[in-house]
Amino acid sequence: MQSGMATAIEWLDGKLRIIDQSQLPREEVFVDLDNYRDVVLAIKEMKVRGAPAIGVAAAYGIALGASGIKARNKDDFLAQLNQVIGVFATSRPTAVNLFEAINRMRKAAKGDGVAEIKNSLINEAKRIHQEEVTATKQLSQLGAELIKDGFSILTHCNAGPLATAGYGTALGVIKAAKEQGKKVSVFVTETRPLLQGARLTTWELMQEGIPVTLITDSMAGYFMRQKKIDCVIVGADRIAANGDVANKIGTYTLAVLAKENKIPFYVAAPTSTIDLSLSSGDKIPIEERSPEEVTHIQGVPIAPQGTRAANPAFDITPHSYITAIITEKGIIREPYIKGLKGIGSRFS
Ligand code: MRU
């Protein structure tokens, strides 16, 4: 993150320090995690969230789990490591960065002895983190070329440093445009049910000195029709081989509205978010979270007791609605199937 801003994820003396995103912006609470089960819980409870940040936290969490293993021999150690990894794999299903990080950590579990493997896992987690920092910086600089001076940009959910443990994706592009000397302003959707837009994106943009207007999710069409929005930029949790994108619930609605109003719709993501093993978005698993996140806001009930609620955390935007996908390896346009195959996922 930027100087003066809180660091989302940090490896400190064999512990994982995170800022608890569920408490923001009310309080900046840092938590030191020295047990891998607490890292899994932090991911499930969305204290750490955002696709790249989930991947980075899981990598450090696996390294932490490995460090705590007391094994009779190498085989015993690897069997226990497998169990640790299995727990991480059940934490959140949609962001592919989690599974990419798990694959990387599995491959890194090599060495003559247990101590060597433990070390190698810590180093691999640090490498994964560093790669996300570099990739998000690079994609932001590339994507900023699409932003013109004076642009008013709509973004959804939170795709800034908090979500990436790096520079940001959608917010990274906006920050980089500002750094290039362009005047930009941002409409932020509040992002029900967990309000990542209202709580986190406004917080990050205000710290960057970028003008922000917070709107409810249902206001987006109104402002598009008023010609108040020049482009939409969002992040992604998983991009299928054909360019279909899974991102925070509500993204699809924004993409349809953008197309209807002839507004470019950009997706910004590091290549660790690309999943070439899935031919289309229909195959991406969508996380279903607790109905309580819909019937309550920050613990306060907003619906009659006993109300049935649905809570899919993500939706799929078909590639035909996407103007371009911004990655650290280049800006991809239709036919996505060709472009994405050309750059591939960084992890596979
Ligand atoms: O459920 P969340 O808050 O983890 O969802 C986050 C998003 O949908 C982000 O837009 C996505 O992870 C991109 S983050 C750079």
Side-chain angles (χ1 to χ4, degrees), residues 86-330:
V87 181
F88 278 96
T90 61
S91 58
R92 294 197 72 191
T94 304
V96 76
N97 307 60
L98 170 68
F99 303 97
E100 300 271 23
I102 285 175
N103 284 344
R104 285 267 303 254
M105 295 301 279
R106 268 193 209 286
K107 285 185 195 154
K110 291 201 174 71
D112 285 337
V114 166
E116 202 179 311
I117 303 176
K118 287 182 178 179
N119 235 347
S120 148
L121 289 169
I122 293 172
N123 289 335
E124 185 66 356
K126 287 181 181 166
R127 252 193 307 274
I128 289 171
H129 190 178
Q130 189 48 50
E131 283 177 22
E132 291 300 36
V133 172
T134 308
T136 51
K137 182 88 194 174
Q138 282 170 349
L139 76 86
S140 298
Q141 275 158 354
L142 283 176
E145 301 301 329
L146 299 168
I147 308 299
K148 298 201 179 95
D149 189 28
F151 255 27
S152 164
I153 302 156
L154 178 88
T155 191
H156 186 54
C157 195
N158 173 262
L162 286 168
T164 60
Y167 186 77
T169 55
L171 286 203
V173 171
I174 295 166
K175 280 163 49 181
K178 186 190 173 220
E179 277 165 25
Q180 288 175 359
K182 294 167 191 165
K183 227 172 132 225
V184 287
S185 56
V186 183
F187 279 89
V188 174
T189 49
E190 60 177 352
T191 318
R192 274 288 284 147
L194 292 182
L195 303 169
Q196 290 92 328
R199 296 187 301 105
L200 309 175
T201 303
T202 51
W203 188 72
E204 288 187 323
L205 286 171
M206 285 165 83
Q207 291 188 51
E208 294 291 336
I210 296 174
V212 186
T213 305
L214 176 64
I215 60 173
T216 66
D217 299 345
S218 51
M219 292 176 189
Y222 173 85
F223 285 108
M224 287 188 192
R225 215 159 166 255
Q226 299 267 317
K227 307 225 174 302
K228 293 280 167 49
I229 290 159
D230 297 299
C231 73
V232 180
I233 312 181
V234 296
D237 287 82
R238 199 184 291 225
I239 302 174
N242 68 345
D244 292 352
V245 165
N247 191 50
K248 180 51 56 192
I249 191 78
T251 302
Y252 170 53
T253 317
L254 294 175
V256 175
L257 281 169
K259 192 165 190 174
E260 172 67 20
N261 288 280
K262 299 185 174 47
I263 295 166
F265 186 92
Y266 299 119
V267 173
T271 54
S272 53
T273 305
I274 298 171
D275 185 354
L276 293 178
S277 76
L278 300 185
S279 55
S280 82
D282 295 343
K283 305 211 161 66
I284 298 177
I286 299 294
E287 177 181 12
E288 188 71 36
R289 292 186 63 85
S290 161
E292 253 194 58
E293 292 178 353
V294 177
T295 55
H296 291 62
I297 293 185
Q298 307 212 308
V300 179
I302 55 161
Q305 210 180 4
T307 301
R308 193 183 318 156
N311 191 11
F314 302 95
D315 60 24
I316 305 295
T317 300
H319 61 90
S320 55
Y321 289 95
I322 299 167
T323 312
I325 298 177
I326 303 157
T327 77
E328 77 275 20
K329 290 193 188 164

